[in-house]
Amino acid sequence: MSRGGATKVASTVENFFEPSPQLQDDIPSISSAEESQSIQLRSVDKDAVINTSIFIIALATVVTTVLSVDVGITRGWTAEEIAFRIPLDNWRSYTNILSMAPIQTKAVTSATVYTIGDIISQKTEGVDIGKLDRGRILRSALAGLIGHGPMSHIWYHVSEDFFDNTLHLSAWWDFLPKVVVDQLIFGPIWNNSYILLLGIMQLQRPGQIFADMKRSTIPLLISGLKLWPFVHCITYGLIPVENRLLWVDLVEIVWVTILASQANANSEAKPGDDKDR
């Protein structure tokens, strides 16, 4: 074979094994996409581990606290006695703490409920555990801690004092006007306070916050009428004043789920959707 022919064959073989320009352009793109997906996967896995760890630690703390209420005095008790005494003694412990620090106890109670409610709200929206918005959960917890607990404590005592000592209502039906006043006055006040607190913590503009409050007042009032009048017949008819917030908080997990979903929908709304912003 001549020298020219050999050179031609070598060039052909080299061109055969050399990637085409289009393939060369696609290689960095594929590599970049795989790298981005890998980073995102590691981020999701990291958040899932963090969130799961928080839940496990919180659950373990609660279970340990509940089960250790009678630690040191259960020697010789039967299983039936332990099962009977643990709930009873936990209730006594709660009422003792409540009598010593009513506002602080109710604040922590509401913070716990609002935390649970926001987690449920996010889960009902289809959010995986690794993608739960911890900032949003923290904001709801703070709203319960500094808002709902103290405000409810004041409201229930003021309401009871007004109806009992000012209006002197003592008939069997006196819970009915209390329910009406609660729904028409305290309900909207707290709903808007919740949105206000979340807006401030999110550093939203005042115009946006008040637009969200304006947009949500009537829908939340209507939503509340589906639940709270029936609940508050028990609240004001059967539950003692000091224990009303605990009863309401137990039911409020459902309501907070609705409230948190509504507030989150407001924060995600586009600025152009409301002319007042």
Side-chain angles (χ1 to χ4, degrees), residues 55-88:
F55 294 150
I56 292 175
I57 293 171
L59 181 61
T61 302
V62 171
V63 172
T64 301
T65 303
V66 170
L67 295 181
S68 63
V69 65
D70 289 325
V71 66
I73 63 173
T74 57
R75 185 176 181 179
W77 288 9
T78 64
E80 291 78 8
E81 288 175 321
I82 294 175
F84 173 76
R85 287 292 301 273
I86 284 180
L88 182 62

Side-chain angles (χ1 to χ4, degrees), residues 118 122 133-140 142-143 146 192-206 208-210 212-213 215-216 259-269 277:
D118 197 272
Q122 292 193 49
D133 187 343
R134 292 189 294 272
R136 171 179 159 180
I137 295 172
L138 178 60
R139 289 191 293 270
S140 287
L142 289 175
I146 65 178
N192 285 311
S193 297
Y194 179 80
I195 295 173
L196 175 63
L197 287 171
L198 261 61
I200 292 174
M201 285 186 280
Q202 290 175 307
L203 302 179
Q204 295 178 353
R205 291 179 289 107
Q208 179 179 350
I209 295 175
F210 287 109
D212 290 343
M213 292 166 62
R215 179 172 50 247
S216 300
L259 192 63
S261 297
Q262 182 68 45
N264 188 61
N266 287 338
S267 66
E268 292 180 352
R277 289 191 181 182

Side-chain angles (χ1 to χ4, degrees), residues 110 114 143-153 190 245 248-249 252:
S110 288
Y114 273 69
L145 181 71
I146 65 178
H148 186 257
M151 288 176 64
S152 296
H153 171 81
W190 166 241
L245 181 62
V248 168
D249 276 341
E252 194 151 8

